Amino acid sequence: MYLLCKWMTKMRSNRLKIVFMLCLAFVTTGGQHFESKVAQLLQDETEHIKCFVEGKDLTCFWEEEEERNHIHDQYTFTYSYEKKNKMACAVSSLYLLASNKTILFCKLPKTPFFTTLDVQVLRDGRMLYTRSLNAENVLFLDPPRNLTVMSSGKEGQLNVSWLPPLLKYMDDSMIYEVRYAVDGSNMGKVEVIKVSTRLVLLGLQSNTRYKVWVRVKPDGVAYKGYWSAWTEPVFGVTPPSDVDPLIVLLVIFIGLILCLLSLTVILSHHKFLLKKLWPDIPTPEHKFPGLFTVYKGDFKEWMSHNNGSMWGRSVPVYTEELPSPLEVLSEVSLTSHGTSQREERKPVEEDEEKESERSDSGLTDRWRDPPHAHWLMEQLRALQENPESRSQSSLLQSHDTYVTLNQGDNEQQVDDVFEETLPLQTLFTTAGTSSLGTSHSDLGSLQQSSGSGRLSSQSSFEYPNHTWPPKGPGYAYMAVADSGVSMDYSPMSSSRIAELGKHRMYTNDYKN
Amino acid sequence: MFHGSGLFALLLIVLEWTRPGLSSPLRPICDLRVLDHFIKEAWDAEAAMRACKDACSIATNFTVPLTRVDFDVWEAMNIEERAQEVQSGLHVLNEAISSLQASNQTDVLQSHIDASISNIASIRQVLRSLSIPEYVPPTSGGEDKEMQIVSSISELFQVHINFLRGKVRLLLANAPVCHQGVS
């Protein structure tokens, strides 16, 4: 039978090949997977005598060397259990079509387990191969049966289940390997599972077709063996993702409506919102026309160019006679009168010291007699009648600053006044245009930079109108106007102020 | 603290003395993973003994049970016969390994020897929980079970692992107590 089959392999016609395949079916007794097992062990097993247990029967085979004829006559196979009597086994041959090799094999029916088996192969009476093994260590199982892959209903999951190979006593000693891959792809993942014959695959792509294979092996505790062949692949499709398209559409629609509503609200109130979020920084630009645009903040230049027009505009009436308004801050009797008197007037302001002025109200000091209070009221009345002066007074109102001067001796006072004016002068002249131009709120810092703590505390311009308090001893006045944002005069000569009797001090805290 | 633990130990001893002659029925241990755990430890011992070879050679011979299982023969035996085979084999194995405790071995090997002895005792408890008959020494007229002789420690532990994997496991896997609910 075997020779007939071998002869038939040499025929090329299809019909003979079919006959050969049928012949092979006769030859291969035992499990349907016998030949595949032999082929697999032929590659994997390193021993000369390769043995495996299929079912309850042990099969040992070895590869036949080529160039030999009548192979099976020359070989002898002997075996013995527990070093007892040797027994012989009938040798058979098998031709493997896939690998073009011939193997010789012997089957030992009803092999005892858990005991040592010694096998030998003799060729022409001489020992060729020998091996000592335990039958329960070379189990070669059939692949699992009835592999099914079903959708579990949940996204990205598949339920895989199978049945173990038909074997007694070994159901609880098996370990399985599940391989799965996207249909068409070569990249597969492997999951190992013990004893249980069902598995849930997680983390899969939605709405995708997957291929699944399973194989089995003894777990190695009670029984040992080789991995079985993979089952035929079974296909399964994962369910589509859960997200309902209708819900997605509704969400998008509502989102659009909300966006439109918010846009409408923002556009209708954009001015208000802009004002709240990004408030305008007040500038004195409108009060100092051309200071920042034409003269780039150079106050000296601006003053020199605008002095005539400005002062002419603001103080049309009181050019020669009326001084700048001041606040009465303290009453002190003066020793001498003459030198201390200094008209608060434009000519004074046009002095060099006048450069220190920033506003239309001049830097002046005056001495006023208490008895001249009524004259003061007259001036007030006159000023009210004059609209232009009022504008100046309104300017003054908006740029109120508070400066106090201390009085002492006339000379001293003059010196004091000079000293006191000097800081302001230096304030205005130092750093040139840049300091004044950059920020009109930097007078405080200028003051600090010049180290002038000599300015007295802020003087408040008390009179609502632009008045020119009359000259008189005992009073020193100084009016300084600024932007109103950040003048910070530190109290000056507080000790001297304290010397004075009753005095009123109005401080206006400017915050830088 | 000492007084508390001492009293507790005394209480346990008294209870042990006064326990009834027949032990209370244990909960049947049908899970084979318990035995698999002992088998894994026996594998470790066998591997350690196989590796030591020269250092583990002893001049004495050991009487050990046969480990061979013919499935046809085994299936033909009833539960009592199987039980007797297993119990006698465990008894003999226990004696053989216990004889090693007296000999001077390395600490590693000694730990394996001690573990094997305690595992055999635990297996006996498992069998007792499954209501499997205890070992009955053969009477003078009765036949003793077949034994074999081995001459090395590695062979002794090979027999040990093969016996546990084979006969003991087959007996436990098919214990009637565990299959009562199953038709």
Side-chain angles (χ1 to χ4, degrees):
Chain A
M1 175 69 85
Y2 305 119
L3 286 170
L4 185 67
C5 289
K6 274 192 71 69
W7 173 70
M8 279 178 175
T9 57
K10 289 173 184 151
M11 311 302 270
R12 297 272 178 190
S13 67
N14 281 340
R15 200 201 287 184
L16 283 169
K17 274 204 172 155
I18 291 164
V19 173
F20 170 72
M21 295 306 284
L22 286 168
C23 194
L24 207 62
F26 281 122
V27 167
T28 55
T29 55
Q32 53 187 328
H33 305 277
F34 180 79
E35 196 172 316
S36 63
K37 289 177 183 176
V38 167
Q40 186 173 331
L41 272 183
L42 204 60
Q43 294 174 345
D44 299 339
E45 182 62 71
T46 53
E47 295 267 357
H48 290 290
I49 304 176
K50 304 169 209 299
C51 298
F52 63 93
V53 169
E54 190 184 26
K56 297 273 174 66
D57 303 326
L58 175 75
T59 305
C60 287
F61 68 92
W62 59 99
E63 199 177 332
E64 184 211 2
E65 291 173 31
E66 294 178 12
E67 310 128 15
R68 293 264 176 183
N69 295 321
H70 305 285
I71 331 114
H72 59 283
D73 289 339
Q74 295 176 345
Y75 287 95
T76 318
F77 185 87
T78 58
Y79 64 97
S80 63
Y81 295 109
E82 295 152 343
K83 295 180 174 44
K84 284 181 183 169
N85 304 330
K86 280 192 183 177
M87 288 168 279
C89 172
V91 175
S92 315
S93 75
L94 175 70
Y95 176 71
L96 299 169
L97 195 65
S99 52
N100 195 24
K101 285 179 185 175
T102 308
I103 56 119
L104 300 155
F105 67 95
C106 180
K107 270 202 179 179
L108 308 179
K110 293 178 186 174
T111 315
F113 278 34
F114 307 107
T115 187
T116 310
L117 174 69
D118 297 308
V119 292
Q120 291 115 27
V121 172
L122 297 114
R123 187 171 68 191
D124 296 332
R126 277 176 296 172
M127 180 92 74
L128 189 60
Y129 308 123
T130 183
R131 188 180 169 185
S132 182
L133 70 145
N134 276 34
E136 73 278 3
N137 292 341
V138 289
L139 294 185
F140 203 137
L141 304 169
D142 292 337
R145 301 169 291 131
N146 284 19
L147 174 63
T148 53
V149 178
M150 285 192 301
S151 168
S152 65
K154 289 183 186 175
E155 190 183 343
Q157 287 186 15
L158 279 176
N159 283 349
V160 184
S161 66
W162 59 91
L163 290 176
L166 281 168
L167 267 179
K168 236 177 168 181
Y169 306 122
M170 293 175 208
D171 286 3
D172 47 7
S173 311
M174 293 187 192
I175 183 170
Y176 301 94
E177 211 176 60
V178 178
R179 181 162 69 107
Y180 58 98
V182 177
D183 188 15
S185 153
N186 287 334
M187 299 285 293
K189 285 188 188 174
V190 167
E191 295 259 354
V192 176
I193 181 162
K194 289 186 182 178
V195 184
S196 173
T197 58
R198 46 182 65 246
L199 177 69
V200 178
L201 296 174
L202 303 170
L204 305 175
Q205 297 170 23
S206 301
N207 214 15
T208 316
R209 194 167 139 98
Y210 277 88
K211 262 201 279 190
V212 183
W213 300 262
V214 183
R215 64 178 182 177
V216 65
K217 192 180 94 154
D219 64 356
V221 179
Y223 300 98
K224 292 183 179 180
Y226 308 100
W227 277 111
S228 74
W230 291 106
T231 55
E232 289 298 316
V234 175
F235 296 90
V237 183
T238 47
S241 50
D242 284 343
V243 181
D244 197 0
L246 181 65
I247 292 171
V248 172
L249 273 171
L250 278 171
V251 167
I252 290 168
F253 189 62
I254 288 168
L256 273 170
I257 288 172
L258 282 170
C259 281
L260 278 169
L261 273 171
S262 57
L263 261 171
T264 314
V265 168
I266 287 167
L267 282 171
S268 61
H269 295 97
H270 77 278
K271 279 184 183 159
F272 173 74
L273 284 168
L274 201 65
K275 211 175 169 185
K276 282 287 172 192
L277 290 170
W278 198 259
D280 292 329
I281 300 168
T283 63
E285 179 61 38
H286 62 287
K287 300 294 181 190
F288 301 92
L291 171 60
F292 298 109
T293 52
V294 180
Y295 299 100
K296 308 277 189 286
D298 188 353
F299 195 73
K300 264 165 91 175
E301 289 279 323
W302 180 81
M303 276 301 297
S304 60
H305 280 95
N306 286 341
N307 209 4
S309 61
M310 272 293 292
W311 289 111
R313 242 187 309 126
S314 58
V315 191
V317 180
Y318 313 107
T319 48
E320 291 288 331
E321 298 158 11
L322 298 177
S324 311
L326 278 181
E327 180 196 75
V328 179
L329 293 176
S330 62
E331 294 182 18
V332 171
S333 62
L334 299 172
T335 52
S336 69
H337 189 76
T339 54
S340 64
Q341 283 189 358
R342 202 175 284 188
E343 289 277 339
E344 295 174 354
R345 58 178 66 192
K346 203 176 141 197
V348 174
E349 294 155 4
E350 285 174 346
D351 231 359
E352 288 182 1
E353 300 166 5
K354 189 185 55 176
E355 293 175 359
S356 59
E357 293 168 358
R358 278 175 72 238
S359 67
D360 49 5
S361 64
L363 181 67
T364 56
D365 44 67
R366 294 210 28 109
W367 308 101
R368 194 182 78 133
D369 265 339
H372 291 270
H374 72 279
W375 180 86
L376 190 68
M377 294 311 294
E378 282 177 7
Q379 297 301 324
L380 270 168
R381 214 173 299 118
L383 188 64
Q384 276 181 348
E385 289 162 10
N386 196 336
E388 287 179 282
S389 64
R390 196 179 298 155
S391 66
Q392 188 189 6
S393 70
S394 65
L395 284 172
L396 285 167
Q397 280 175 16
S398 60
H399 301 297
D400 288 347
T401 67
Y402 299 88
V403 176
T404 56
L405 289 178
N406 298 313
Q407 304 90 20
D409 277 343
N410 284 346
E411 286 84 12
Q412 286 178 359
Q413 283 165 358
V414 168
D415 290 339
D416 289 343
V417 163
F418 266 120
E419 285 170 7
E420 284 155 2
T421 56
L422 271 176
L424 273 175
Q425 186 184 1
T426 54
L427 273 173
F428 289 118
T429 52
T430 51
T433 56
S434 59
S435 57
L436 284 174
T438 45
S439 71
H440 31 268
S441 62
D442 271 349
L443 274 178
S445 62
L446 277 171
Q447 177 198 359
Q448 287 157 15
S449 64
S450 63
S452 62
R454 291 188 290 170
L455 269 178
S456 66
S457 55
Q458 297 95 350
S459 65
S460 66
F461 192 64
E462 195 174 28
Y463 300 105
N465 297 322
H466 186 81
T467 58
W468 302 96
K471 293 196 270 187
Y475 295 93
Y477 304 92
M478 188 162 76
V480 175
D482 68 340
S483 64
V485 176
S486 63
M487 284 285 283
D488 189 13
Y489 298 113
S490 60
M492 186 179 75
S493 307
S494 53
S495 58
R496 284 195 285 177
I497 293 167
E499 283 172 17
L500 300 173
K502 182 181 167 190
H503 67 277
R504 284 175 299 170
M505 208 146 118
Y506 297 86
T507 60
N508 190 7
D509 286 332
Y510 293 95
K511 291 179 185 165
N512 280 332
Chain B
M1 197 66 189
F2 173 73
H3 287 296
S5 59
L7 278 172
F8 184 64
L10 187 65
L11 188 68
L12 281 176
I13 291 165
V14 167
L15 283 173
E16 182 69 20
W17 281 343
T18 56
R19 69 170 178 174
L22 284 172
S23 56
S24 52
L26 297 167
R27 194 174 166 191
I29 301 168
C30 290
D31 194 349
L32 280 169
R33 286 178 294 181
V34 174
L35 182 63
D36 284 348
H37 170 73
F38 300 139
I39 291 171
K40 284 175 191 172
E41 289 195 348
W43 273 118
D44 296 338
E46 190 261 340
M49 298 304 171
R50 191 161 21 102
C52 91
K53 279 185 183 173
D54 294 332
C56 300
S57 62
I58 284 186
T60 56
N61 291 336
F62 303 104
T63 304
V64 290
L66 292 171
T67 58
R68 175 177 173 157
V69 171
D70 290 305
F71 282 103
D72 294 341
V73 175
W74 183 262
E75 280 163 19
M77 291 164 78
N78 58 15
I79 186 70
E80 286 84 13
E81 288 171 330
R82 292 179 192 176
Q84 190 63 15
E85 192 146 336
V86 167
Q87 296 281 24
S88 64
L90 283 173
H91 173 78
V92 168
L93 212 51
N94 195 35
E95 284 186 354
I97 296 173
S98 300
S99 68
L100 274 178
Q101 276 185 323
S103 62
N104 288 333
Q105 299 293 337
T106 61
D107 291 337
V108 172
L109 300 178
Q110 198 63 42
S111 69
H112 283 298
I113 291 163
D114 295 337
S116 301
I117 291 168
S118 74
N119 287 348
I120 288 170
S122 304
I123 290 166
R124 282 197 175 134
Q125 289 284 7
V126 171
L127 292 174
R128 198 173 294 144
S129 77
L130 299 174
S131 308
I132 285 169
E134 301 271 350
Y135 170 65
V136 175
T139 56
S140 55
E143 284 183 5
D144 203 353
K145 289 289 176 187
E146 274 189 48
M147 298 290 159
Q148 59 177 330
I149 310 287
V150 292
S151 55
S152 70
I153 296 180
S154 67
E155 279 181 314
L156 168 63
F157 278 89
Q158 275 177 20
V159 166
H160 173 239
I161 183 63
N162 287 335
F163 191 73
L164 291 183
R165 291 161 70 196
K167 290 180 180 174
V168 176
R169 199 170 192 279
L170 285 168
L171 177 67
L172 280 167
N174 296 287
V177 175
C178 299
H179 295 276
Q180 274 173 3
V182 180
S183 61

